[in-house]
Amino acid sequence: LSLDFETTGLDVVEDRVIEFGAVLYSTGQHKCLDNQGMLVKSDKPISPKITEITGIHPAAVDRFGYEPDNVLDIIIEMMYNADAMIGFNCRRFDRRVVENWATRVGKGTQVSGRHWIDLFQDLPWQVPMAKLSYVAADHGILNLFPHSALADCQTVLAIAGKYDYDELMVRSQSPVVILRARQDRASNELVKQAPFKFRWNPGMKIWWKPVKEQDVTEIIQSSPFPITVEKGLTIEELD
């Protein structure tokens, strides 16, 4: 099940879903079995900034939005029919959004404990990570409606279809670790241009990258500059 939410903000506890998209997909038949995309009524205001980002206007939600309880029931049923969830940056956001939503209405056990494949973390380490639309473009895929929940779900499946699903499942089970570039100042350009893109954290003043534990040895051996594993640091602290 490819699942995506647009929300009133980035707080996975306090903010609310205003659009939901999902595609139930058969990897054996290569067929979409069920497609759902709808606006969702919210008891939290939609700010002009969120409208600018998502294109979702409060008037549209008021008129065309479905009741949250009805939408959640649809999501739970679709999750029940899926062997795994898949998304982009979904472990950090969409998974937590739906789990907190369900918990608020006493249905937390119906969505918890599911297996999630996250293309933001689980694709092969050589794939540069960026926004979903950019990653899609690198794979020759055009996301026609970025930040439309259903379109983002379809785009995720199109990217996943470029890979072996069994391999993605295995990679999704490998823990995430943080790598740190230990280059000298003269090698900064090497870090910036590395195909396995590092990110700069201005607070800690370090170049870092989240990777799958199974890839660490290969990445370190292929790097033109020193890399170390940073234990004790998390994506949430650095991003």
Side-chain angles (χ1 to χ4, degrees), residues 118-153:
D118 190 341
L119 296 191
F120 189 75
Q121 298 176 355
D122 297 338
L123 289 178
W125 63 267
Q126 298 91 341
V127 178
M129 275 298 106
K131 294 180 179 179
L132 175 59
S133 293
Y134 296 158
V135 176
D138 287 342
H139 289 79
I141 297 163
L142 177 62
N143 186 349
L144 294 175
F145 301 102
H147 285 296
S148 169
L150 180 57
D152 285 354
C153 289

Side-chain angles (χ1 to χ4, degrees), residues 150-204:
L150 180 57
D152 285 354
C153 289
Q154 294 166 335
T155 300
V156 163
L157 288 171
I159 296 171
K162 302 286 187 179
Y163 299 90
D164 180 87
Y165 290 109
D166 291 334
E167 180 183 347
L168 285 178
M169 183 68 80
V170 170
R171 291 186 61 79
S172 70
Q173 297 172 27
S174 178
V176 174
V177 300
I178 302 297
L179 295 186
R180 178 178 176 181
R182 294 284 187 173
Q183 82 293 349
D184 55 37
R185 289 182 179 274
S187 301
N188 270 346
E189 287 303 313
L190 285 177
V191 178
K192 294 177 183 179
Q193 298 169 13
F196 39 94
K197 186 178 179 182
F198 278 76
R199 305 181 207 171
W200 175 248
N201 181 287
M204 297 184 183

Side-chain angles (χ1 to χ4, degrees), residues 58-75:
V61 171
D62 290 343
R63 180 173 178 182
F64 298 105
Y66 286 75
E67 293 297 331
D69 289 348
N70 295 337
V71 174
L72 182 59
D73 286 342
I74 293 172
I75 295 170

